[in-house]
Amino acid sequence: MTGMTDDQLANALYGSVTEHDVEPPREQAQQAPADSDELARRMYQPDDPGAHVGEDRLDKVYGSVQRQIETAAVEQLGLEPDVARQASTEWAQVFRENEISTDEAATLSTIAAGLVGGSVQPDPIAWRNAARAELVSEYGANSEAALAAAKAFVAKDRALAEFLDEHGLGDHPAVVRTIARRAWTLKKAGKL
């Protein structure tokens, strides 16, 4: 292989390429590059909005949480079964949209049902202190920033803000922790 030029070496390894061998580039439709949210939506959320619902009309991920919400709405709040089912479906969608884990969703549902039904009495001062302690434990020096992100997240959703305020849920440590986690993720991604 001594004394060979790069072209001679390439021809020896890969064969000779002539203009007739080269295929002209195909025209491709120009597509705007998708951002990471759009790619994730395409991958994980089917085009059919009902695709995440099973034959029993329960969300495939949040089905047990939906049943829990529905049961509590009927037994503790006295709602009609159809109204309770609609509420449980709406909350499953809220949990899905906000990427709340099933464990956190179940905890939040239990707390909300207890507060709305009156079996749990709000203790705003104790809850705020516990929530701040949890944020310091989880976020350290960033605890105030995490709390600010949680407040900004709630402020963007008027219905959520009103629901939390009306029922005193906004101070509960589990609620604050869950919202802060989601808000912090969005803040770090530059979306909040």
Side-chain angles (χ1 to χ4, degrees), residues 124-151:
I125 294 171
W127 286 356
R128 281 185 207 129
N129 290 336
R132 284 192 181 272
E134 283 191 30
L135 291 178
V136 167
S137 175
E138 189 163 337
Y139 299 98
N142 291 320
S143 63
E144 288 301 317
L147 181 59
K151 288 179 180 180

Side-chain angles (χ1 to χ4, degrees), residues 12-135:
L13 290 171
Y14 305 110
S16 174
V17 177
T18 66
E19 286 183 30
H20 301 290
D21 294 333
V22 177
E23 201 174 301
R26 297 181 195 174
E27 287 189 36
Q28 296 178 350
Q30 289 291 341
Q31 258 184 320
D35 65 9
S36 60
D37 284 342
E38 176 63 16
L39 291 173
R41 186 193 63 74
R42 287 185 205 164
M43 287 176 62
Y44 300 111
Q45 293 180 350
D47 291 334
D48 177 9
H52 63 272
V53 176
E55 288 180 26
D56 55 3
R57 303 299 304 153
L58 295 176
D59 187 291
K60 291 177 182 174
V61 175
Y62 298 100
S64 64
V65 175
Q66 249 183 290
R67 278 189 222 87
Q68 176 185 341
I69 294 169
E70 189 174 339
T71 301
V74 170
E75 293 175 1
Q76 295 177 18
L77 307 178
L79 297 180
E80 293 295 321
D82 289 344
V83 174
R85 171 146 302 170
Q86 181 180 353
S88 72
T89 301
E90 289 172 7
W91 278 105
Q93 183 62 31
V94 168
F95 295 139
R96 176 177 291 287
E97 288 172 359
N98 290 292
E99 300 174 14
I100 305 298
S101 74
T102 54
D103 290 341
E104 288 176 318
T107 298
L108 296 177
S109 299
T110 301
I111 294 164
L115 280 169
V116 173
S119 63
V120 173
Q121 295 303 311
D123 189 349
I125 294 171
W127 286 356
R128 281 185 207 129
N129 290 336
R132 284 192 181 272
E134 283 191 30
L135 291 178

